[in-house]
Amino acid sequence: MDYPQIAQQILQLVGGKENIINFTHCFTRLRFQLHDNQTANREKLLQTEGVISVVEGSGQYQVVLGNKVTKVYEQLVSFVGDVKRNNQTEPKLSLAVKILNAFAAIFTPIIPAIAASGMLKGILAIAVMIGNYYYQTDIKSYNTYTILHAASDAVFYFMPIILGYTAARVFKAHEFISMIIGATLCYPSIVNLMTSNTEVTLFAIELTKASYTSSVIPIILAVFILSYVQRFLDYIIPEVLKIIMVPTFSLLVMIPATLLIFGPIGIYIGEFINWVYYYIMGVSPILLGAFIGGVWCILVIFGAHRAIVPIGINDVAQTGHQSLLAFAGAANFSQAGAALGVFFKTKNKNLKTVAASATITALFGISEPAIYGANLRLKRPMVCAVICGALAGGLMGWGGSYGTAFANQGVLTIPVYAEAGTKAFLCYLIGIGFAFFGSCIMTMLVGFNDIANEEESKTIQTSSSQPLTNDTTILSPVAGEVIALNQVKDEVFASGSMGKGVAIYPKAGEIFAPADCTITVLYPTLHAIGLKLDNGIELLIHIGIDTVNLQGKYFQSYVETGQHITKGSKIVSFNIEKIEQQFDLTTSIIVVNSDQYKHIDYCQLTHVSNNDNLLFIQV
């Protein structure tokens, strides 16, 4: 089958790239949003090789292709390119979400530099401790230390310049003008003026004295305002003068405005954020530590942790130390420990390799491989890590642990937390130790559903998959009301074009394996499941109509594609009450390879449980 040619024909027959607003696919069909459905040629689409049916519904133009849909979709993407992204309207977001997204976008590019600087600070702290304890030498007086310390501190000291650049990219302002504003705030003469005992004036107006080196909020506010000033100047200044006059007037307007208005406002906002954080800590440092230690890696999964990183950076700028990453360190070490528990417990060679590598990277402050490669994938280790991280974070909160730099949470930066004092440092050490070893032991005790080795899986499938030679029955995979397939309100299934079968309206939101089988397909949105029974029968279980639009919401899976499971194993669960508020939950059970069997019929019961006979297959 020539998939590129099929994709090209479909593209042409739906009206071409120009007629497409958006397109995606589900388990069986391409789903188009078209500017004009009438432009599409339904009759010729139905004659196209591989096309089973064409359906219009839910605001979509659907081309049904069965199990060939993924390959055709991939070819379509190569032909259509960026049309989906270019034509999509941006979702409406609340002001709070927009602010968090902006902060995340501003700080994300500089996280590696901040992490590297923190690691360097940790290494220098270790060197200072070794020099003091073993050689009775203060290496801080050496030029080498001074130079390396400058390298570790530069990203924080010149933060306004760096943030000027990243904020300009987010707010679409001139990058280098923004950096000049940041550099002005860090300029030695300005720093000296702001720290002097004399009054500082600009145009005979007294300035609010503040230290802008290492500051965060003032430059972000300034660049945000600059973006509007720049647009206004672009609008009023003639084209021939823009290249010189727009930057000039931008500086003439924004430097005074920043020092007189937005700089002080930013400092006050930073102080307020710092006050709120420490007020919460004052109410209950244990709960704050437990909360951050528990949820930090959950925030990592959604990328939301980057939106609260500025709190720690601002904390360092305001007070010279931070506790946010101390608590987050509990989460990192717990992820490392859980991954180590997976390493000891699993018999899967590939997973063992992934878990070992993820343990090491998490110990050095990078938790994503442990989260995605092992813990979240297996679920229970993730729960163990969250519990141990929360307990460890609570201990650190009780002990008052904090770091003197915004340093990555790993073994090399442990000395950064030593200056907090004996009790605080001991609580930090005990906390990360408990997080690591506790989550490791807990993971080994609680266990998880291990993933079989590929060789074992192949052996199981080869030895157990026998062609059907006698008539057989198939149990219902779901409990509910039996409905004839031709009564389903989906033309694709009702017509039998996907194969013969039956439908059930579920009364319990659980799908079970009707026999020993292999999961051949588990669609990411979890609304469609492909099974190959050990006797060779291939089943499609399609939960609801148009439930693909939920994007997996209200669904939960218990298996993985390629996994061999036994009769009665739970495959997917779903929230009936939530889903049926929006969609028809009629679930179609289709024998995909119906043409290989003489006759297929379904039971005459009006209701079935998942232990009742549902389909009868005659060879």
Side-chain angles (χ1 to χ4, degrees), residues 17-32:
K17 179 177 177 178
E18 299 75 16
N19 195 37
I20 299 175
I21 300 172
N22 186 12
F23 74 101
T24 184
H25 76 99
C26 65
F27 184 73
T28 58
R29 62 195 86 185
L30 294 169
R31 294 172 176 265
F32 294 93

Side-chain angles (χ1 to χ4, degrees), residues 395-447:
L395 175 63
M396 293 175 187
W398 174 78
S401 302
Y402 65 81
T404 53
F406 192 84
N408 204 23
Q409 320 93 285
V411 290
L412 289 181
T413 58
I414 289 175
V416 168
Y417 299 91
E419 295 182 35
T422 304
K423 177 186 174 183
F425 188 47
L426 281 176
C427 285
Y428 181 77
L429 291 176
I430 295 170
I432 61 175
F434 174 80
F436 180 71
F437 292 107
S439 58
C440 176
I441 294 169
M442 191 174 179
T443 296
M444 294 177 67
L445 292 175
V446 172

Side-chain angles (χ1 to χ4, degrees), residues 263-343:
I265 290 175
I267 291 294
Y268 293 142
I269 292 174
E271 289 176 350
F272 176 73
I273 292 171
N274 186 259
W275 177 83
V276 170
Y277 181 80
Y278 279 96
Y279 176 79
I280 296 171
M281 179 171 282
V283 171
S284 179
I286 296 174
L287 287 179
L288 180 62
F291 178 75
I292 295 174
V295 306
W296 181 265
C297 285
I298 296 175
L299 296 176
V300 168
I301 295 170
F302 299 100
H305 68 299
R306 291 173 180 172
I308 61 174
V309 162
I311 294 175
I313 297 175
N314 181 71
D315 200 6
V316 173
Q318 294 289 330
T319 66
H321 57 77
Q322 54 77 27
S323 57
L324 178 70
L325 291 191
F327 304 147
N332 262 36
F333 279 92
S334 68
Q335 292 294 332
L340 184 63
V342 172
F343 170 78

